[in-house]
Amino acid sequence: MSGQLPTSPVFNAMNFSSEVNTLLSISDSGRRFARQIDNQRWKFTCRYQNLTRAEFAPILAFITQQKGQKETFTIIPPKIKDAQGSETTTISVNGSHTAGDTTIAIDGFNADSAGSLKAGDFIKFSGHTKVYMVVSDVTPSSNAATVSIEPGIIENLSNDETVTYDDVPFTVYLTSNVQQYSLGINDLYNYEFDVCEAF
């Protein structure tokens, strides 16, 4: 692991996608067969526009340190980094869970707070590098709730693993060994790079 992408300046545009590799076949009778062959991954493009040299240089230096696709690093994406819900406390896993589970018991919520986490929020467990998405709104009862996520957890969860829901870091690697930037009018730099989640 080679650090965290500098948070200033932040990239000002992002393309974001979810990749699930699925084999699909249709029989002569029209029957459909589908099988997932790999874990789900988040992928995104980070785009910087109209940066001065002083703003751009630390970004380029950091990316150069990654040695192409060799290293992994973390990014806290702007705009989507924080939960939309109203949660403010430290929440943690309640009990143990097995790889593949998509419903996770969590406690420590604000008591009976409607919309503590919302569908589309990202969460990360302290023992995992994988980031998961909450797929339905969470309204706890007596400080606890069952949270539905996708994809299913890729490794077992232990009791009391903390759950990050704000400033969620994505562990990623560059998808290309070649990086280039453009220098435009007024000596302003434009640059973008693509990353894929690593776990």
Side-chain angles (χ1 to χ4, degrees), residues 4-129:
Q4 179 180 312
L5 181 73
T7 55
S8 180
V10 297
F11 46 93
N12 46 19
M14 179 174 68
N15 293 334
F16 196 89
S17 62
S18 170
E19 180 180 279
V20 180
N21 292 318
T22 303
L23 286 178
L24 177 67
S25 61
I26 309 289
S27 70
D28 289 341
S29 66
R31 224 178 139 131
R32 177 181 174 273
F33 300 92
R35 182 168 61 95
Q36 186 175 330
I37 59 171
D38 196 5
N39 287 317
Q40 179 273 356
R41 287 177 169 78
W42 305 110
K43 291 185 165 185
F44 46 101
T45 300
C46 305
R47 187 172 298 116
Y48 297 87
Q49 296 172 316
N50 299 326
L51 299 182
T52 64
R53 184 178 181 188
E55 291 171 325
F56 176 61
I59 304 299
L60 182 61
F62 179 84
I63 292 298
T64 301
Q65 285 181 303
Q66 305 315 308
K67 301 175 177 68
Q69 296 175 295
K70 181 176 185 291
E71 301 291 341
T72 62
F73 58 100
T74 58
I75 295 178
I76 300 176
K79 308 294 184 188
I80 63 169
K81 67 179 184 170
D82 294 336
Q84 306 167 83
S86 58
E87 194 53 51
T88 58
T89 64
T90 299
I91 58 176
S92 57
V93 174
N94 185 10
S96 58
H97 295 271
T98 306
D101 286 355
T102 57
T103 54
I104 310 298
I106 295 177
D107 57 15
F109 287 103
N110 291 322
D112 304 314
S113 174
S116 288
L117 298 174
K118 294 190 173 288
D121 287 344
F122 292 101
I123 62 173
K124 181 181 168 300
F125 303 105
S126 57
H128 290 212
T129 54

Side-chain angles (χ1 to χ4, degrees), residues 95-173:
S96 58
H97 295 271
T98 306
D101 286 355
T102 57
T103 54
I104 310 298
I106 295 177
D107 57 15
F109 287 103
N110 291 322
D112 304 314
S113 174
S116 288
L117 298 174
K118 294 190 173 288
D121 287 344
F122 292 101
I123 62 173
K124 181 181 168 300
F125 303 105
S126 57
H128 290 212
T129 54
K130 177 83 184 97
V131 172
Y132 302 91
M133 179 180 280
V134 176
V135 293
S136 59
D137 289 358
V138 176
T139 300
S141 175
S142 300
N143 301 90
T146 298
V147 179
S148 296
I149 62 169
E150 283 294 338
I153 55 175
I154 63 172
E155 55 188 305
N156 295 345
L157 276 176
S158 301
N159 185 46
D160 289 334
E161 284 192 47
T162 56
V163 181
T164 300
Y165 54 86
D166 283 338
D167 291 326
V168 177
F170 288 72
T171 301
V172 298
Y173 63 90

